[in-house]
Amino acid sequence: MPAVGQDKLRKEGPKKLTGAALYVDDIPVKGAWHGVTVRSTVPHARIKDIRFLKGFPWKQAVVVTAADIPGINCVRLIEDDQPLLADAITRHVHEPVALIAHPDRSAAYESLKFVEIEYEALPAALTIEESLRKKAILRGSDNVFKQFRIKKGDAAKAMKKAWKTVDTVFRVPHQEQAYIEPQGMVSWFEKDGTLVLLGSLQCPYYIVKAMQPIFGLPEEKIRVVQAVTGGGFGGKEEYPNMIAGHAALLARKAKRPIKMIYDRHEDMAVTTKRHPAVVRHRAGIDRKGKLVALDIDVVMDAGAYLTLSPVVLSRGVLHASGPYTCADVDIRARCVATNTPPNGAYRGFGAPQTLFAAELQWENLSEASKIDSLTLRERNLVKIGSELSTGQILKESVGLKKCLEVVVKRSAYAKRRKEHALWNKKKTAPTWRGIGLAAVHHGSGFTGNGEVFLKSRASLSLTKRGRFRIEAAASEIGQGSMSTLSQIVADALGVPYEWIDLEVNDTRRVPDSGPTVASRTCMVVGGLLHAAARDLKAAILAKTKKFPKTETELQAAAKALAAKGPLRFTRRFEKNTDIEFDDKTYRGDAYGSYGYAALAVDLEVDRTTYEVSVKKVWTAQDIGKAINPKIVEGQIMGGTLQALGWALLEKPVYKNGAMINNQLTNYIIPTAMDAPAMDVVLVEEPYSRGPFGAKGVGEMPMDIPAPAVCAAIRQATGLLFPEIPVTPESIAEALRRKK
Amino acid sequence: MKVLTPRDERDALRLYRRNPDAFPLAGGTDLMVLWNAGLLNKKTILDLSGLRDWSRIRETPKGVWIGALATHAEIRTHPAIRERFPLLVDSCRTVGGRQIQNRGTLGGNIANASPAGDTFPALAVYAALVHTVSDNDRRVMPIDEIFAGVKKTHLKAGELIEGVELQTPPNPPSRWRFRKVGTRAAQAISKTVFAGQLWLGKDKVVDDVKLALGSVAPTVKRLRHVETHLTGRALDGKTIESALRLLPGDIHPIDDIRSTREYRLQVSRNLIRSFLMGR
Ligand SMILES: Cc1cc2nc3c(=O)[nH]c(=O)nc-3n(C[C@H](O)[C@H](O)[C@H](O)COP(=O)(O)OP(=O)(O)OC[C@H]3O[C@@H](n4cnc5c(N)ncnc54)[C@H](O)[C@@H]3O)c2cc1C
């Protein structure tokens, strides 16, 4: 029986369920000391002096400052602009300035009270507006880290000719990933000088790359191992480079293993968040409701250093026009520097920011044209043969129309809209009700030529003991990749799912299959493994004539085939010659394939308290092929709830450039009790180059709920909030103003 | 951290007198937060788990006695409380989530004296009496007089809360309501929290009314101005609106990390209005 399409049990499930799984802080490390971080307390300043005060037994501790860095003081990612430890200047609150290790964890924390930093304050730009006004200059002459432009036709001219136009400024805030396990890393040096890092992370090879300049070590002398990881959502894509560098610096100086584990408060205050964005969105339609002009200006807040911001911004602009066709498009996007902790990867990666504007704008267009927003969407949806803003022509696997039809039907959208309109007219009703829609696309895998540059590799082995073993740096972070990849391999080989093992995610044992990001693991790594499995199967068949049917037969065959070590096949990503993308002009095929989704949110606003209660969500998502439907549904439900939090609850409060509600008591993420009923339908429009037709799944659920929520609140209250989160306070205030 | 583990009440009170800086430990749901923040390092803990009797809930001739160590879960499932003090049941149901309700105690909730303590408005409209005991004294204080400010009580050194006495009113109220307005559906700190009881006589004249709000002042507030205005008047829209205008004299909401003064005031007003109008 095939494994693909089945709800196979999670490979790592039993260990997690029984508590046997060891997260980094659970791993006993003999002789390890605890590392803590001295951080700056001001947004922008010259560091005049760092003093280690009397009153703490400093002799028992090891202290590291920038002066102890043997190589280059940087956190290498796209650029080297971010220092591992601030040296002369600090550019944001909470920037690491020094490190302390002590045998006792609480003493290590206690030591922080005995460090004093002397500053000479510099002007600070704390918001996008202040950065654009050049209140402080952090980068170049204008604080712009990166800009993109997508231009197709003549948007200005088309806008003039349009029947109705709208012009709205949308704003979205930071968002905290709130993975269940805070960041943590253990580091030590082995006798032969190899630097080892063991931690909670998504991208082991990023860390290998980041450690090289710091320690001047070659790749072979750096070994990164993923511990069982309690969630990532992008938060453990690049930040682990930082904490890894810190732990390693301390380990080098202390000459012993170092454990650095952030507590929740530190984690929330200092690690990367979703980029806040301001999107000015102008759109024009003709009398038939056809979208004829788009003029969009996107600004994202990168924080103090570049990190991954250009890539986030790139995905943002590439999704800014939504899953619709429009002949004349002009999109300009910038990410700017502010004196705040750097923002980074978070599920959706720039797309939720611009899609929020693209989708919610339909409500304004609907108001202007008196055509309902569903009809407007239907008239403009992409289908096979449609052209996107980059000029990409969609050739296959476009399930958007189907998704929208399913959602409209299952949610009884039209009927509910009518019923709610009646209900809202009742003077004595305790609530206002609304239903809202959204539709999105999400490019699967890396943008443009990203996958070509990555040259990912993944291997499949037959071991001497007769087990099939996946070797890839794909990180299981709760999303189910172990099971999904195993199911793909099992069916490609034609063997039971239970015959498949996964090699430990250790850079000494697995090839670089690329980072665990961008909804790419199943589609790209799964694709490589699918090909490797076919190679391996052919090799076995060539030797055995009859493919082993039982484990005993397989063991017998393996003895011969893998006598001198595992029989291994490795596949490397190959450029898809059908797709072309120009990184300079942003013309061409931005992504090999897109996932598509539609979603409806039904909610009530309490007329006494203005609290919003989401009653039900219906969604249909075209993901090519559900390798493991249960896992896919889990991804969709979890991502939906995360996005409902972003839309309604999660309000990061920043003061003087730092998050001050850095605790889960006051940064409100949804609980299970806040989760509405969800009706999830999987639509499968296969992608010819994905394993069994699979495309990306992970991020789309995060892209879509926020605009649908705001559309529903619009029906309920008559108010269109172009800014999230829509809190009871903001509803109460808007209603007061309207009076 | 030093932990004292008395076997019984006498032992506990004696140890507490000798260690007046000790932190009594009941369910520990508030203390663990301090502990996690390192604020209990080198401090002394007085573990109350040996005081078995103190978790008892029992009916008395006049009403109900709730031992200080009774948990929110025990309170909200107790038949006599469910029958006669539904506002307390409703409030205990909104404390944290199930796990917190299983461990957190009423005594701990009161002693912790958070402005957002969710049981307080219910206790206030029931005019609950808090019984305290120390090595050499016993006292009884009405609930709204035990609080001295944010996280401060009038408990003296060496004094423990022993339990809470609730007296059944002579007539059941015509209407009652509890409503917590928190930041989310569970594990939420209140932005405002309301409890009210109303006795209506002939021609909708208010015979008696007891209203209280939490989270809108440093301590729980009985709304005396509003209550006085309503009492003896016929309950119509005009009376309600004029009573509501007195609300700012009873409460002092503020802007903080969770909400705004304006919202708290407006929603408190809405809660009282909808309760009085019977909506
Ligand atoms: C996640 C979470 C959610 C929460 N949600 C809510 C909520 O929604 N609403 C709410 O009101 N509270 C909430 N709380 C706070 C807390 O759970 C309650 O206040 C609970 O009732 C405290 O009781 P306890 O027995 O756990 O107190 P403990 O932590 O044991 O003690 C609390 C304080 O009271 C003192 N103390 C305890 N017993 C006595 C006594 N008999 N005499 C004198 N002093 C004593 C202790 O020394 C300490 O200072 C929450 C807490 C957490 C951690």
Side-chain angles (χ1 to χ4, degrees), chain B residues 24 26-31 72 95-96 100 105 109 111 117-118 161 180 187-188:
Chain B
T29 57
D30 275 312
L31 284 183
H72 298 289
V95 172
I100 294 292
T105 66
N109 199 217
D118 282 319
I161 296 173
K180 167 173 172 171
Q187 307 295 14

Side-chain angles (χ1 to χ4, degrees), chain B residues 85-96:
Chain B
F85 302 100
L87 296 174
L88 186 60
V89 172
D90 288 348
S91 68
C92 289
R93 202 181 272 143
T94 70
V95 172

Side-chain angles (χ1 to χ4, degrees), chain A residues 665, chain B residues 16 22-34 40 44-46 48 51 54 67-72 91-97 99-101 103-120 131-133 151 153 155-156 159-163 180 184 186-190:
Chain A
T665 325
Chain B
Y16 199 16
F23 287 78
L25 171 74
T29 57
D30 275 312
L31 284 183
M32 112 191 135
V33 177
L34 300 184
L40 295 183
T44 303
I45 299 295
L46 181 71
L48 301 183
L51 282 65
W54 284 31
L69 296 179
T71 63
H72 298 289
S91 68
C92 289
R93 202 181 272 143
T94 70
V95 172
Q99 301 91 328
I100 294 292
Q101 290 164 24
R103 285 216 54 94
T105 66
L106 189 60
N109 199 217
I110 297 170
N112 191 53
S114 157
D118 282 319
T119 61
F120 307 162
H131 290 243
T132 68
V133 54
K151 298 247 165 189
T153 63
L155 287 175
K156 293 183 192 152
E159 193 174 29
L160 289 173
I161 296 173
E162 185 186 3
K180 167 173 172 171
R184 62 184 152 205
Q187 307 295 14
I189 299 184
S190 290

Side-chain angles (χ1 to χ4, degrees), chain A residues 4 9 206 320 359 593 611 630 669 678 698:
Chain A
V4 168
L9 292 182
Y206 276 12
E359 275 309 291
S593 74
E611 291 167 295
K630 184 69 82 202
I669 60 170
M678 296 189 202

Side-chain angles (χ1 to χ4, degrees), chain A residues 4 36 112 138 219 229 234 244 297 355 421 441 482-483 511 537 541 552 562-563 702:
Chain A
V4 168
V36 294
L112 293 174
L138 280 141
E219 203 180 318
T229 298
D297 188 84
L355 284 167
H441 63 325
M482 282 182 152
S483 311
K537 184 170 187 177
L541 273 173
T552 327
M702 181 74 226

